[in-house]
């Protein structure tokens, strides 16, 4: 049997990324503008990250410092535990692709109905505040997230994006920060516990939103995470 080797996808260098998180670079997939490809930042390689970590975390295998591998593993667990209902809250993954930055993870890219890449919840709050339209999607998202018992770390406002249609919020998507962080994730084996923990994440998100809104008077407090300029959104 001939093994099928898919061609390497060239992403155009770091400057072509539409976004840069603390760990990964995100590119529009040159093969499909409805998808993105996430790669590890070359300056945040698993070896560098492990080198910076303290005991006992530095004993963990290199793969556990690879956000893409971790995310792919969590998606597989979500598929098993939550199933299809999850994919109205997290964009689907489309597997691995080889790139000039090494292994890239391909994911649905959340765009507004005008084609622009959706902004983060953090940016939305900063620009528009907690308006009535956002209130409705927040309530829907919170109920669905809790009911499904979705596994996540603390939900951070730069790891959620607000998809808009006709200029108003339609749906919230979680694009990062999935998986239970606990050493022994009991919630993976107990749906009731998963739902309670997911509900607590939603309550904590409410606090995060309030803190975010309080900071709006001091623009320098936005931080470097989670802002997309119009030019980046149009990629
Ligand atoms: N599927 C997506 N659809 C739309 N925007 C996305 C998507 N994935 C990522 N983004 C944008 O890219 C930014 C960085 O992505 P991501 O959070 O995956 O990177 P990261 O380096 O893992 O983040 P962190 O700094 O939280 O570790 C997000 O804040 C968001 O603006
Ligand atoms: Mg992130």
């Amino acid at each position: 049997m001939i093994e099928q080797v898919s061609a390497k996808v060239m992403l155009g260098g770091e400057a072509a990324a539409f976004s840069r998180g603390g760990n990964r670079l995100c590119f529009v997939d040159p093969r499909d503008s409805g998808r993105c490809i996430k790669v590890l930042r070359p300056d945040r390689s698993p070896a560098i990250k492990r080198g910076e970590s303290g005991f006992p975390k530095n004993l963990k295998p290199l793969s556990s410092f690879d956000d893409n591998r971790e995310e792919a593993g969590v998606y597989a667990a979500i598929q098993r535990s939550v199933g299809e209902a999850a994919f109205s809250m997290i964009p689907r993954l489309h597997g691995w692709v080889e790139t000039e930055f090494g292994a890239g993870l391909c994911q649905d890219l959340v765009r507004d109905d005008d084609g622009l890449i959706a902004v983060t919840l953090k940016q939305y709050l900063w620009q528009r505040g907690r308006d009535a339209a956002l209130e409705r999607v927040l309530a829907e998202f919170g109920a669905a997230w809790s009911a499904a018992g979705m596994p996540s770390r603390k939900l951070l406002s730069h790891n959620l994006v607000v998809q808009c249609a006709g200029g108003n919020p339609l749906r919230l998507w979680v694009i990062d920060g999935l998986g239970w962080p606990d050493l022994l994730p009991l919630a993976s084996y107990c749906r009731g516990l998963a739902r309670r923990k997911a509900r607590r994440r939603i309550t904590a998100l409410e606090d995060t939103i309030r803190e975010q809104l309080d900071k709006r008077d001091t623009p320098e407090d936005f931080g470097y995470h989670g802002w997309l300029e119009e030019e980046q959104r149009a990629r």
Side-chain angles (χ1 to χ4, degrees):
M1 200 170 103
I2 301 169
E3 194 187 337
Q4 199 180 340
V5 180
S6 49
K8 191 167 179 173
V9 174
M10 298 307 287
L11 298 170
E14 285 195 33
F18 74 84
S19 164
R20 179 189 183 86
N23 293 287
R24 298 184 288 188
L25 299 171
C26 304
F27 296 84
V28 175
D29 187 334
R31 305 162 306 173
D32 180 346
S33 61
R35 295 180 177 179
C36 60
I37 295 177
K38 299 191 185 188
V39 299
L40 303 184
R41 276 173 49 178
D43 58 332
R44 301 294 300 144
S45 71
I48 293 174
K49 282 166 58 176
R50 185 165 70 178
E52 287 170 0
S53 72
F55 180 84
K57 211 180 160 202
N58 56 4
L59 300 179
K60 292 170 88 177
L62 264 189
S63 60
S64 70
F65 293 86
D66 178 333
D67 285 31
N68 270 351
R69 300 251 157 241
E70 287 279 294
E71 186 160 271
V74 171
Y75 261 76
I78 290 175
Q79 179 78 63
R80 284 193 301 273
S81 61
V82 178
E84 277 304 297
F87 300 106
S88 59
M89 298 175 271
I90 57 171
R92 283 180 197 277
L93 285 190
H94 300 283
W96 295 95
V97 56
E98 191 50 35
T99 77
E100 75 261 44
F101 295 98
L105 199 51
C106 187
Q107 184 182 52
D108 277 341
L109 176 60
V110 183
R111 290 184 183 271
D112 293 349
D113 67 342
D114 57 9
L116 295 180
I117 296 174
V119 297
T120 63
L121 174 60
K122 187 175 177 185
Q123 181 166 352
Y124 185 96
L125 291 168
W126 204 262
Q127 291 180 314
R128 293 175 58 170
R130 187 171 181 155
D131 53 14
L134 180 68
E135 203 63 62
R136 192 179 43 77
V137 298
L138 268 172
E140 282 168 9
F141 168 77
W145 193 260
S146 308
M150 287 292 285
S152 78
R153 289 140 212 280
K154 182 173 189 227
L155 290 170
L156 302 172
S157 60
H158 62 263
N159 285 335
L160 276 82
V161 297
V162 185
Q163 185 176 37
C164 289
N168 278 317
L170 181 70
R171 194 183 282 266
L172 285 177
W173 297 88
V174 175
I175 50 83
D176 185 23
L178 295 172
W180 301 120
D182 322 70
L183 217 51
L184 189 66
L186 294 176
S188 303
Y189 309 99
C190 173
R191 303 301 304 144
L193 181 58
R195 292 192 186 100
R196 285 197 295 282
K197 284 180 68 117
R199 192 171 312 118
R200 286 209 289 274
R201 298 284 193 250
I202 296 298
T203 309
L205 177 63
E206 290 291 335
D207 297 337
T208 304
I209 290 173
R210 265 192 299 278
E211 286 162 21
Q212 205 80 64
L213 291 172
D214 286 345
K215 283 190 188 168
R216 275 212 296 174
D217 300 332
T218 44
E220 61 277 10
D221 280 353
F222 186 84
Y224 81 97
H225 263 124
W227 188 273
L228 290 188
E229 298 293 345
E230 287 298 296
E231 175 274 318
Q232 294 167 290
R233 298 187 60 205
R235 293 198 185 169

